[in-house]
């Protein structure tokens, strides 16, 4: 199972998703690869946002060592599931796909998890810590359901 989590900046949502998924795979002794990337290159080379590090750390998920990078076309080859946080990210990434196979790998994270009431993980960048807490909870529930569905 090779997952790439993708958001806009790769400093808030997708690093948290990467950290949660990695820790759940390790806890369940499942082999896999998890990484994250952003649509933008603006924050490339940076650590995750302090608020993201803080909320993940609260749940014993250490994301402080992550380094932001931009999505690249080889990601379509290197990953099985490219899970995007919202529809604008979906549009940007799906537009880079060169085959139907590649485009089919791109899925809205929450829909892929089987959560259909809310389909987008909101960008918490311009809000406060409570937005990060909500995002963490959505991503945690999503990762639980994804692993449940893929391993049942
Ligand atoms: P993310 O949040 O996509 O969850 O990492 C953002 C971080 C930075 C920006 C936008 C969204 N930005 O425009 O700098």
């Amino acid at each position: 199972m090779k997952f790439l989590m993708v958001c806009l900046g790769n400093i808030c949502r997708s690093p948290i998703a990467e950290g949660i998924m990695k820790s759940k795979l390790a806890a369940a002794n499942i082999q896999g690869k998890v990484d994250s990337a952003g649509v933008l290159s603006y924050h490339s080379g940076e650590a995750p946002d302090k608020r993201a590090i803080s909320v993940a750390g609260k749940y014993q998920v250490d994301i402080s060592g992550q380094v932001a990078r931009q999505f690249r076309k080889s990601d379509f080859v290197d990953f099985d599931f490219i899970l995007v946080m919202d529809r604008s990210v979906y549009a940007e990434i799906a537009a880079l796909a060169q085959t139907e196979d590649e485009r089919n790998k791109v899925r809205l994270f929450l829909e892929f998890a089987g959560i259909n009431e809310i389909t987008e993980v909101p960008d918490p960048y311009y809000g406060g810590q409570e937005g990060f807490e909500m995002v963490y909870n959505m991503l945690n529930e999503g990762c639980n359901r994804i692993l449940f569905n893929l391993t049942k």
Side-chain angles (χ1 to χ4, degrees):
M1 285 184 215
K2 293 186 275 188
F3 300 97
L4 183 69
M5 309 299 189
V6 187
C7 62
L8 185 56
N10 193 210
I11 55 167
C12 300
R13 292 165 291 178
S14 62
I16 299 173
E18 175 189 336
I20 293 172
M21 189 60 98
K22 273 186 176 153
S23 85
K24 289 187 191 297
L25 287 178
N29 232 326
I30 299 170
Q31 295 298 316
K33 168 172 161 175
V34 189
D35 195 7
S36 64
V39 167
L40 305 177
S41 63
Y42 186 70
H43 294 282
S44 290
E46 292 178 19
D49 188 283
K50 283 192 179 66
R51 297 163 295 177
I53 293 174
S54 166
V55 77
K58 196 175 134 187
Y59 298 98
Q60 285 76 51
V61 174
D62 180 8
I63 64 167
S64 62
Q66 289 187 32
V67 179
R69 71 165 175 93
Q70 189 173 29
F71 182 85
R72 48 184 174 246
K73 283 189 177 172
S74 58
D75 288 326
F76 284 118
V77 178
D78 296 340
F79 294 91
D80 305 315
F81 305 109
I82 297 170
L83 303 180
V84 302
M85 295 297 140
D86 63 36
R87 289 195 157 71
S88 73
V89 173
Y90 180 90
E92 296 277 355
I93 300 301
L96 299 174
Q98 281 168 327
T99 64
E100 186 147 355
D101 241 32
E102 290 184 354
R103 195 169 41 252
N104 287 339
K105 289 185 176 186
V106 188
R107 307 285 300 272
L108 276 174
F109 174 92
L110 291 175
E111 279 189 2
F112 185 67
I115 297 170
N116 297 303
E117 311 84 67
I118 308 166
T119 52
E120 301 189 292
V121 181
D123 183 351
Y125 189 60
Y126 294 104
Q129 192 67 38
E130 69 289 348
F132 282 78
E133 187 76 37
M134 183 187 69
V135 161
Y136 185 94
N137 288 322
M138 293 170 91
L139 293 171
N140 188 54
E141 177 64 18
C143 286
N144 279 337
R145 294 209 201 181
I146 288 167
L147 288 182
F148 179 80
N149 291 334
L150 291 176
T151 57
K152 77 184 171 194

